[in-house]
Amino acid sequence: EPEVTQTPSHQVTQMGQEVILRCVPISNHLYFYWYRQILGQKVEFLVSFYNNEISEKSEIFDDQFSVERPDGSNFTLKIRSTKLEDSAMYFCASSPGGGANYGYTFGSGTRLTVV
Amino acid sequence: DQQVKQNSPSLSVQEGRISILNCDYTNSMFDYFLWYKKYPAEGPTFLISISSIKDKNEDGRFTVFLNKSAKHLSLHIVPSQPGDSAVYFCAASRENTGFQKLVFGTGTRLLVSP
């Protein structure tokens, strides 16, 4: 079964450093997403990406965050200057269509620890 | 912003019995609902979904019921198995292409004991 692949599985970074989280969505999917889960809390939407541009973003997704699809396979989330509160599990997801009824496939996540 | 609520943080059930997980939502614009299962250190895995035009959807041991007037949905697992032990998230969204995000609840940790 096709998978969404995320690397690295765990990243530790110092506060103020830039991090890039990487994702390889399912190859024929058109919509890409980032979600995060702070420990013990709910999974929260960050951003959706379609046709090489952001289609929707949450209030969490401020100027410190950016997304990019640098080639035909990778989808990245960059945090420019990490803060302690950015520590969370970050999940990438992809779907073949734009509505929830198309189904989302999530990756296994990257645990980001900011120290 | 608690648009989707799962009021029970945990549930313990014996193997073979029914597990009932509940979810409430407040935004009447939601018309598509999903249940995800999550193991530690893994991403959410899709279980079952339901459109607001239905009040029930069944897939094997899993059945989701939707009560639109009460803005309430529930997931029934029958019979429960120890491998079902995980955190279950309810999520709400729309079938509209222009609304793409899932709004998750806080999750219910299910423990099925042998």
Side-chain angles (χ1 to χ4, degrees):
Chain A
E1 189 168 330
E3 288 185 342
V4 174
T5 306
Q6 290 187 243
T7 55
S9 57
H10 190 186
Q11 176 142 9
V12 182
T13 188
Q14 287 202 324
M15 192 168 55
Q17 294 296 304
E18 174 182 288
V19 294
I20 297 176
L21 309 183
R22 303 181 192 279
C23 169
V24 179
I26 293 173
S27 61
N28 63 347
H29 283 188
L30 302 176
Y31 289 79
F32 314 110
Y33 312 88
W34 284 100
Y35 285 77
R36 80 173 185 189
Q37 185 185 25
I38 295 172
L39 186 63
Q41 299 186 23
K42 62 182 179 180
V43 178
E44 298 176 291
F45 169 79
L46 291 178
V47 66
S48 60
F49 191 86
Y50 169 71
N51 200 26
N52 282 319
E53 60 182 24
I54 291 173
S55 47
E56 188 175 353
K57 61 182 180 179
S58 72
E59 60 275 7
I60 302 168
F61 195 88
D62 62 21
D63 292 343
Q64 293 299 312
F65 292 86
S66 63
V67 289
E68 194 177 32
R69 188 154 162 82
D71 52 42
S73 60
N74 290 284
F75 180 51
T76 62
L77 174 70
K78 182 193 290 186
I79 310 175
R80 289 190 185 82
S81 178
T82 49
K83 303 187 277 283
L84 294 176
E85 54 265 36
D86 294 327
S87 296
M89 282 288 289
Y90 287 80
F91 296 104
C92 175
S94 68
S95 67
N101 51 304
Y102 284 93
Y104 290 61
T105 302
F106 283 85
S108 296
T110 294
R111 179 172 296 284
L112 176 65
T113 303
V114 183
V115 297
Chain B
D1 181 8
Q2 293 269 321
Q3 294 190 72
V4 179
K5 301 179 190 178
Q6 293 175 257
N7 291 320
S8 298
S10 63
L11 175 67
S12 291
V13 171
Q14 279 197 317
E15 182 178 8
R17 299 285 184 98
I18 184 171
S19 296
I20 300 176
L21 298 98
N22 294 302
C23 177
D24 298 291
Y25 62 97
T26 56
N27 190 336
S28 57
M29 299 292 283
F30 292 139
D31 60 10
Y32 201 83
F33 305 91
L34 309 93
W35 284 95
Y36 282 83
K37 175 179 178 179
K38 187 180 178 305
Y39 293 115
E42 292 186 14
T45 302
F46 172 75
L47 269 179
I48 192 169
S49 61
I50 188 166
S51 166
S52 61
I53 62 173
K54 295 185 175 181
D55 54 19
K56 176 182 174 182
N57 189 26
E58 191 171 354
D59 184 2
R61 296 187 297 116
F62 302 91
T63 303
V64 56
F65 295 91
L66 175 63
N67 182 335
K68 280 189 297 183
S69 60
K71 294 192 178 68
H72 177 84
L73 62 154
S74 61
L75 174 68
H76 293 210
I77 306 173
V78 183
S80 301
Q81 299 172 354
D84 296 330
S85 298
V87 178
Y88 288 78
F89 289 96
C90 167
S93 189
R94 301 199 62 190
E95 293 186 70
N96 186 329
T97 300
F99 188 96
Q100 296 153 13
K101 67 181 181 184
L102 301 178
V103 180
F104 283 88
T106 49
T108 296
R109 184 177 301 278
L110 175 65
L111 177 63
V112 181
S113 52

